[in-house]
Amino acid sequence: MYVRSADKAQLHVNNIEELNKLDLRGIQGHHPKAESKKVGSIRISDGREIPIYFFSGGGYFEQVAYAEQSKTITVFVASSETADDLKSSEKAFRELVDSYLFISDDVTTPKHE
């Protein structure tokens, strides 16, 4: 499992659907038969429902949830070599996603002299 943040402007995507298509195209570059299918949603800690997609045919199986903010999309990924192994990690994946809380787009760091 891992989490990554995608900058919408940098990737030239406007929303989750566009990022999902971009992710799929990236996988299809090596595995042309790869597919992505929306399979449901999951609630994050602020009460919002975010979509879950299932990727297959890319040499591995992935469950991916996308949480959209104004400038970024946070991507949660559980990946496995088999569908059964992926299913066995579903509870941990849901706990990870459920723990997510977006704080702010306006982050500043102090200057060190």
Side-chain angles (χ1 to χ4, degrees):
M1 277 190 271
Y2 63 93
V3 179
R4 66 181 172 92
S5 182
D7 182 298
K8 293 194 282 188
Q10 188 176 46
L11 294 175
H12 307 289
V13 299
N14 295 305
N15 54 47
I16 290 169
E17 292 79 16
E18 290 178 12
L19 181 57
N20 176 261
K21 288 178 184 176
L22 180 66
D23 288 345
L24 179 59
R25 280 195 307 272
I27 295 168
Q28 287 174 332
H30 298 285
H31 303 278
K33 294 184 180 182
E35 298 178 339
S36 173
K37 207 181 320 184
K38 186 175 178 184
V39 294
S41 64
I42 187 170
R43 188 176 311 278
I44 57 177
S45 64
D46 68 3
R48 288 187 297 143
E49 292 278 331
I50 63 171
I52 297 177
Y53 290 80
F54 180 73
F55 287 80
S56 62
Y60 45 85
F61 298 87
E62 289 187 338
Q63 187 169 342
V64 180
Y66 296 92
E68 185 171 0
Q69 294 80 40
S70 63
K71 297 178 182 178
T72 61
I73 299 174
T74 303
V75 184
F76 304 86
V77 181
S79 184
S80 180
E81 291 181 356
T82 70
D84 287 341
D85 285 345
L86 183 63
K87 188 168 180 75
S88 72
S89 66
E90 187 169 348
K91 182 177 185 250
F93 178 73
R94 289 186 170 273
E95 288 172 356
L96 173 68
V97 174
D98 182 55
S99 72
Y100 172 73
L101 176 63
F102 179 73
I103 297 173
S104 174
D105 274 327
D106 187 23
V107 178
T108 57
T109 57
K111 293 182 181 178
H112 298 282
E113 296 179 28

